[in-house]
């Protein structure tokens, strides 16, 4: 309240408007916001479950970027016409954002993330089994359809993860923690280049790494809470309550 009154006083001085006599402006009172400011280091003092949940979020960030870039770079190894394959991979971004728009608020962030990961792992397993590239319709093969579907899911996950983590991390350190998550995700993109080198030695290893890493991320997502309709945490204490499942659902129109 004090901060709002001080801002109102500054605006009135700039516009040369006299405030009502009953409005008291506290000039020397420190703002409560400054006293409650928290740094990222406060995460060291939260509960062990919250620490593990944050590490799990970092791992999911890392994995989705690893899978996304592996699927994007591996398109040249998919049987069929390379130009058709590249065009299909480019078109895959359109259904991704449509699925996200239609399901993100309706079913919840966590359920959507789990569904996208399940579909990606299933498609990767089918593509792993169909190494010869069974023709489906003309130049389109079963393996190509699996790659396009998996990449579309990972594009949706990529967009949804930034929204989900923003609703999990507290406002006092949200930008810093989301920035750290993005930095860790870049590591997955860097590692994807080295994973694809294995394709020339043993193509099965690429699928195995992607399926195992995706399965780990899927298991971690099942342990995290859904944030749809919940009050956004302001402090690490509220973030601790959210990740521990003690925060009540706040009904709001989305």
């Amino acid at each position: 309240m004090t901060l709002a009154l001080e801002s109102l006083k500054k605006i009135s001085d700039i516009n040369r408007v006299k405030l009502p006599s009953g409005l008291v402006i506290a000039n020397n009172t420190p703002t409560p916001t400054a006293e409650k400011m928290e740094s990222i280091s406060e995460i060291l003092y939260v509960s062990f479950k919250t620490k593990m949940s944050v590490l799990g979020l970092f791992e999911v960030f890392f994995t989705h970027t690893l899978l996304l870039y592996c699927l994007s770079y591996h398109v040249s190894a998919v049987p069929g016409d390379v130009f058709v394959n590249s065009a299909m991979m480019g078109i895959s971004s359109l259904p991704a954002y449509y699925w996200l728009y239609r399901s993100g608020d309706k079913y919840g962030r966590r359920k959507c993330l789990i569904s996208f990961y399940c579909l990606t792992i299933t498609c990767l397993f089918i593509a792993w089994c169909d190494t010869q590239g069974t023709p489906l319709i003309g130049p389109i093969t079963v393996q190509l359809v699996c790659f396009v579907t998996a990449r579309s899911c990972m594009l949706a996950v990529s967009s949804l993860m930034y929204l989900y983590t923003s609703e999990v991390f507290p406002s006092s350190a949200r930008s810093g923690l989301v920035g750290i998550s993005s930095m860790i995700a870049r590591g997955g993109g860097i590692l994807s280049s080295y994973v694809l080198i294995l394709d020339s030695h043993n193509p099965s290893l690429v699928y195995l790494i992607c399926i195992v890493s995706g399965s780990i991320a899927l298991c971690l997502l099942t342990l995290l809470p859904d944030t749809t309709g919940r009050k956004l945490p302001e402090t690490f204490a509220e973030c601790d309550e959210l990740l521990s499942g003690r925060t009540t659902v706040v009904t709001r129109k989305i």
Side-chain angles (χ1 to χ4, degrees):
M1 187 65 181
T2 305
L3 183 61
L5 292 174
E6 290 180 353
S7 301
L8 187 61
K9 175 67 168 56
K10 292 178 181 178
I11 294 172
S12 64
D13 292 340
I14 293 174
N15 294 290
R16 299 179 181 178
V17 177
K18 186 177 180 180
L19 294 175
S21 57
L23 193 62
V24 179
I25 306 295
N27 295 322
N28 299 323
T29 304
T31 60
T33 307
E35 299 175 358
K36 296 183 179 179
M37 287 299 292
E38 294 180 315
S39 64
I40 298 179
S41 61
E42 293 292 328
I43 199 171
L44 299 175
Y45 304 103
V46 297
S47 66
F48 178 76
K49 182 177 180 181
T50 300
K51 292 177 184 176
M52 292 298 100
S53 298
V54 172
L55 291 176
L57 278 173
F58 290 160
E59 197 280 336
V60 174
F61 249 104
F62 179 89
T63 300
H64 94 262
T65 310
L66 172 66
L67 296 180
L68 178 60
Y69 283 100
C70 280
L71 290 166
S72 301
Y73 295 153
H74 200 57
V75 64
S76 59
V78 177
D81 189 285
V82 66
F83 298 104
V84 174
N85 295 350
S86 300
M88 290 292 293
M89 294 295 276
I91 296 173
S92 66
S93 60
L94 298 179
Y97 299 124
Y98 177 76
W99 293 344
L100 186 60
Y101 170 74
R102 297 292 297 177
S103 60
D105 291 333
K106 185 177 181 180
Y107 300 108
R109 289 79 158 105
R110 176 173 165 271
K111 289 182 180 178
C112 288
L113 288 169
I114 292 174
S115 301
F116 289 143
Y117 263 102
C118 285
L119 186 55
T120 299
I121 294 169
T122 303
C123 290
L124 286 172
F125 183 76
I126 295 173
W128 186 14
C129 297
D130 185 38
T131 55
Q132 301 300 322
T134 305
L136 193 62
I137 302 175
I140 300 176
T141 62
V142 173
Q143 195 177 67
L144 176 60
V145 172
C146 291
F147 265 71
V148 170
T149 305
R151 184 176 183 273
S152 183
C153 290
M154 284 299 101
L155 283 170
V157 169
S158 179
S159 300
L160 192 56
M161 278 302 297
Y162 284 96
L163 174 62
Y164 181 70
T165 50
S166 297
E167 293 176 344
V168 169
F169 294 140
S171 301
S172 56
R174 182 171 294 136
S175 58
L177 289 171
V178 172
I180 293 174
S181 302
S182 181
M183 179 187 67
I184 292 173
R186 296 311 101 197
I190 295 170
L191 183 62
S192 64
S193 303
Y194 297 97
V195 171
L196 293 177
I197 295 176
L198 299 174
D199 185 62
S200 58
H201 303 284
N202 189 351
S204 297
L205 284 177
V206 178
Y207 291 103
L208 184 61
I209 291 173
C210 291
I211 291 172
V212 171
S213 60
S215 300
I216 294 173
L218 176 62
C219 294
L220 292 173
L221 280 171
T222 58
L223 303 176
L224 295 172
D226 195 4
T227 58
T228 307
R230 293 181 181 270
K231 179 180 179 295
L232 295 180
E234 298 290 337
T235 63
F236 278 103
E238 294 181 1
C239 177
D240 197 4
E241 292 181 0
L242 173 63
L243 293 173
S244 300
R246 300 194 301 270
T247 303
T248 56
V249 177
V250 179
T251 305
R252 56 186 174 91
K253 186 177 180 180
I254 301 176

